[in-house]
């Protein structure tokens, strides 16, 4: 048989209807809690820099109400937290030191609840996301309280080269030329350096072309950037070039 009652603030809610099933001999039936967690990504492979969503799906497969459910997700290396829908799905989540911690006061028997977590990957390769859920009561099957999702992130964005210094650039004949070089920015890789082809002979007048290129670790090649360097005559050489002049 079943006894039901109306109660306020029994499990953190304002009010609710509760029930307890009894066996025929009058003893309490054993109410069990069996949480199950499944983690899914909505895109795989995903492009670095593009948002994707993790679904954190918790189910109470037990016969009783699970109390004080806690879900913990250390954000994997290579993703940036964007947002989650915990407030609209009955959870309260906080992000502290790259760990998402969520709490739900209770889950009824058979209840299924999902947190949608949006992140941005800023690396390439396989991202491993492991999440755990638990309740205040003993779980009859803890083996399915943890789940791991693997997501392949691919980098399709080429680096961008930005020249330092002037372009075109002029240097005086007979002096030493020092290339101002260039900087490289990339959505994934840090510390990339340009490769420079071409040379400047400051002993010979004329124009010289320097080319700058680089590829990131995923093989994406930047658009080649060029700089024109002109070796110019000294002012004395220019003024002795055949015109007339007067001395006062």
């Amino acid at each position: 048989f079943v006894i039901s009652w109306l109660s306020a603030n029994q499990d953190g809610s304002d009010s609710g209807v509760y029930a307890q099933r009894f066996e025929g001999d009058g003893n309490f039936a054993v109410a069990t809690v069996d949480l199950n967690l499944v983690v899914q990504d909505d895109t795989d492979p995903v492009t670095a820099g593009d948002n994707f969503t993790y679904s954190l799906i918790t189910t109470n497969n037990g016969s009783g109400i699970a109390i004080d459910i806690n879900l913990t997700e250390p954000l994997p290396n290579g993703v940036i937290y964007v947002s989650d829908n915990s407030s609209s799905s009955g959870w309260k989540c906080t992000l502290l030191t790259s760990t998402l911690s969520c709490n739900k006061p209770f889950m009824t028997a058979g209840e299924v609840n999902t947190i949608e977590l949006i992140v941005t990957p800023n690396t390439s390769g396989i991202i491993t996301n492991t999440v755990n859920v638990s309740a205040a009561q003993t779980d009859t099957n803890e083996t399915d309280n943890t789940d791991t999702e693997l997501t392949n992130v691919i980098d399709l964005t080429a680096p961008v080269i930005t020249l330092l210094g002037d372009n075109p650039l002029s240097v005086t004949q007979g002096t030493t030329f020092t290339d101002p070089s260039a900087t490289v920015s990339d959505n994934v890789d840090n510390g990339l350096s340009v490769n420079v082809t071409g040379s400047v002979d400051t002993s010979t007048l004329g124009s010289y072309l320097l080319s700058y290129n680089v590829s990131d670790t995923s093989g994406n090649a930047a658009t080649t950037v060029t700089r024109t360097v002109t070796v110019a005559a000294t002012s004395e050489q220019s003024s002795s070039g055949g015109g007339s002049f007067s001395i006062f």
Side-chain angles (χ1 to χ4, degrees):
F1 60 96
V2 175
I3 296 177
S4 63
W5 66 95
L6 178 67
S7 177
N9 298 318
Q10 176 167 327
D11 50 24
S13 60
D14 292 335
S15 63
V17 177
Y18 300 86
Q20 176 65 57
R21 180 170 60 88
F22 290 83
E23 301 291 357
D25 59 4
N27 295 321
F28 281 102
V30 178
T32 62
V33 170
D34 178 16
L35 297 182
N36 170 270
L37 177 67
V38 176
V39 182
Q40 297 176 342
D41 55 23
D42 70 338
T43 306
D44 194 352
V46 61
T47 302
D50 290 350
N51 290 352
F52 73 98
T53 301
Y54 285 120
S55 295
L56 315 179
I57 307 168
T58 303
T59 304
N60 180 11
N61 290 324
S63 60
I65 299 173
I67 304 297
D68 190 23
I69 300 97
N70 289 291
L71 182 147
T72 304
E73 177 183 22
L75 293 182
N77 293 330
V79 302
I80 300 172
Y81 171 88
V82 176
S83 65
D84 66 75
N85 72 337
S86 58
S87 60
S88 62
S89 57
W91 295 83
K92 181 179 180 180
C93 293
T94 57
L95 181 67
L96 182 63
T97 317
S98 298
T99 296
L100 187 68
S101 299
C102 302
N103 178 266
K104 195 173 189 299
F106 68 95
M107 286 186 69
T108 58
E111 179 180 345
V112 181
N113 195 281
T114 302
I115 298 174
E116 302 286 349
L117 171 65
I118 301 175
V119 297
T120 306
N122 61 355
T123 188
S124 59
I126 301 298
I127 291 177
T128 302
N129 186 21
T130 299
V131 187
N132 177 264
V133 69
S134 62
Q137 305 104 307
T138 299
D139 195 301
T140 58
N141 179 20
E142 294 184 348
T143 60
D144 58 1
N145 287 26
T146 300
D147 194 32
T148 298
E149 180 74 344
L150 304 180
T151 305
N152 183 24
V153 181
I154 56 176
D155 178 16
L156 301 177
T157 304
V160 176
I161 299 172
T162 302
L163 288 179
L164 300 174
D166 295 335
N167 184 37
L169 187 151
S170 181
V171 61
T172 302
Q173 184 181 23
T175 61
T176 300
F177 169 69
T178 301
D179 182 15
S181 194
T183 61
V184 180
S185 60
D186 188 72
N187 65 323
V188 171
D189 297 325
N190 296 316
L192 295 177
S193 299
V194 292
N195 301 310
V196 184
T197 56
S199 60
V200 176
D201 180 6
T202 58
S203 66
T204 304
L205 300 176
S207 293
Y208 299 85
L209 191 67
L210 300 179
S211 297
Y212 304 79
N213 56 72
V214 66
S215 295
D216 61 23
T217 56
S218 295
N220 301 304
T223 299
T224 299
V225 176
T226 61
R227 187 201 311 270
T228 300
V229 180
T230 300
V231 177
T234 63
S235 57
E236 291 81 4
Q237 290 172 319
S238 298
S239 63
S240 64
S244 62
F245 63 94
S246 302
I247 299 177
F248 296 93

